[in-house]
Amino acid sequence: QILKDAGMELRKVTSNNNEVLNHIANIKDEHVTQHNVLNQNRIKTLGIVWNRQLDVFEYNIQNKNYATNITKRTILSYISQIFDPLGLLGPIIVQAKLIMQKLWQLQLDWDAQLPYDLHNICLEFYSQMQQTETVQIPRQILTSNPTNIQLHGFADASEKAYGIAIYVKCTDECENTKIQLICSKSRVAPLKTITLPKLELCGALLLAQIMKKLIKCFKHNQ
């Protein structure tokens, strides 16, 4: 009703609660039809799948036949399918970034065959991406009625890249503890050589920036 009053008609509604879906489907309104209610268990948006029955996020990336003819065009087309705003596929995403950096560094034509070593790296990357379909990430990161919430951040660096990962540790009234990855972020090292301590400082700065944003989010939700 709030969205309708603002002139923004709600479309394609889904929920992990069937009572909500049944209520919306029974609303007598010309703008609300059965087609607006998505009852399927797996809802896909930009490559991320929400399994509403299990309430987990999954990934569904089309593999096609990229591995049979790997070129700069095909590998970049494949990587562009990956939509992972929270960095939950961090170990794979950083490999994609390193491959892209190497492609631009070699200045290859779009349809030119890749060098043997890079070709093998891309094959391994394809293999890793196929395994993402088995990954299930819980949407709910907190326990019910939490009494204590802690954020734990980690940062590290190598000569090729640096990155961070942030976890939430949540404890409820019964002392049940749940630890969940919230997000991660990685960046490739610049082509210009930088010492490892400087890259580690870059990782620490990135961690501080992301942690600051997360702390604000948790404060708003309290």
Side-chain angles (χ1 to χ4, degrees):
Q1 184 62 42
I2 294 174
L3 290 172
K4 183 178 178 181
D5 292 342
M8 297 181 288
E9 300 293 347
L10 199 58
R11 293 287 186 270
K12 296 184 178 180
V13 182
T14 191
S15 171
N16 57 358
N17 189 318
N18 289 326
E19 292 182 10
V20 174
L21 296 181
N22 293 333
H23 174 73
I24 295 174
N26 292 328
I27 295 177
K28 303 301 181 182
D29 191 298
E30 61 178 345
H31 297 293
V32 179
T33 66
Q34 193 66 35
H35 297 291
N36 297 133
V37 180
L38 301 178
N39 289 300
Q40 59 262 42
N41 289 329
R42 302 176 82 248
I43 312 298
K44 180 180 178 181
T45 302
L46 297 174
I48 297 180
V49 177
W50 177 43
N51 188 322
R52 73 180 189 91
Q53 186 175 17
L54 301 177
D55 200 12
V56 297
F57 290 121
E58 301 172 347
Y59 291 87
N60 183 12
I61 299 174
Q62 298 179 2
N63 291 308
K64 296 182 179 179
N65 294 319
Y66 288 122
T68 59
N69 182 28
I70 302 178
T71 65
K72 179 179 177 180
R73 186 187 305 277
T74 57
I75 187 64
L76 291 181
S77 174
Y78 187 75
I79 290 174
S80 66
Q81 295 185 62
I82 306 171
F83 180 69
D84 186 37
L86 295 179
L88 301 177
L89 297 178
I92 297 178
I93 296 300
V94 70
Q95 291 294 331
K97 292 179 179 180
L98 290 171
I99 290 174
M100 291 180 67
Q101 184 186 59
K102 189 66 175 180
L103 287 172
W104 293 117
Q105 186 179 11
L106 292 175
Q107 298 182 344
L108 298 172
D109 292 334
W110 283 101
D111 296 313
Q113 293 293 323
L114 303 185
Y116 179 77
D117 56 340
L118 186 56
H119 184 274
N120 288 337
I121 293 175
C122 290
L123 286 177
E124 183 179 354
F125 175 69
Y126 284 137
S127 176
Q128 289 180 332
M129 289 306 301
Q130 292 173 5
Q131 297 177 35
T132 59
E133 294 187 357
T134 63
V135 175
Q136 292 185 333
I137 301 171
R139 183 191 61 83
Q140 183 69 28
I141 62 174
L142 301 179
T143 59
S144 300
N145 301 319
T147 58
N148 183 270
I149 299 176
Q150 301 176 11
L151 294 176
H152 296 262
F154 303 87
D156 202 357
S158 70
E159 295 178 351
K160 294 182 178 180
Y162 60 92
I164 64 101
I166 300 177
Y167 294 80
V168 60
K169 179 182 178 182
C170 181
T171 306
D172 64 12
E173 299 171 343
C174 299
E175 298 299 323
N176 295 316
T177 300
K178 181 178 182 179
I179 300 175
Q180 180 72 34
L181 175 67
I182 300 180
C183 67
S184 72
K185 184 94 175 165
S186 62
R187 291 178 179 168
V188 296
L191 295 177
K192 181 181 178 181
T193 304
I194 296 180
T195 62
L196 191 56
K198 286 186 177 180
L199 289 173
E200 290 176 338
L201 285 175
C202 289
L205 174 61
L206 181 61
L207 175 60
Q209 293 171 337
I210 303 297
M211 184 68 80
K212 183 179 179 180
K213 294 180 180 179
L214 280 178
I215 291 174
K216 287 183 178 179
C217 292
F218 275 90
K219 285 182 177 180
H220 289 322
N221 291 330
Q222 288 180 351

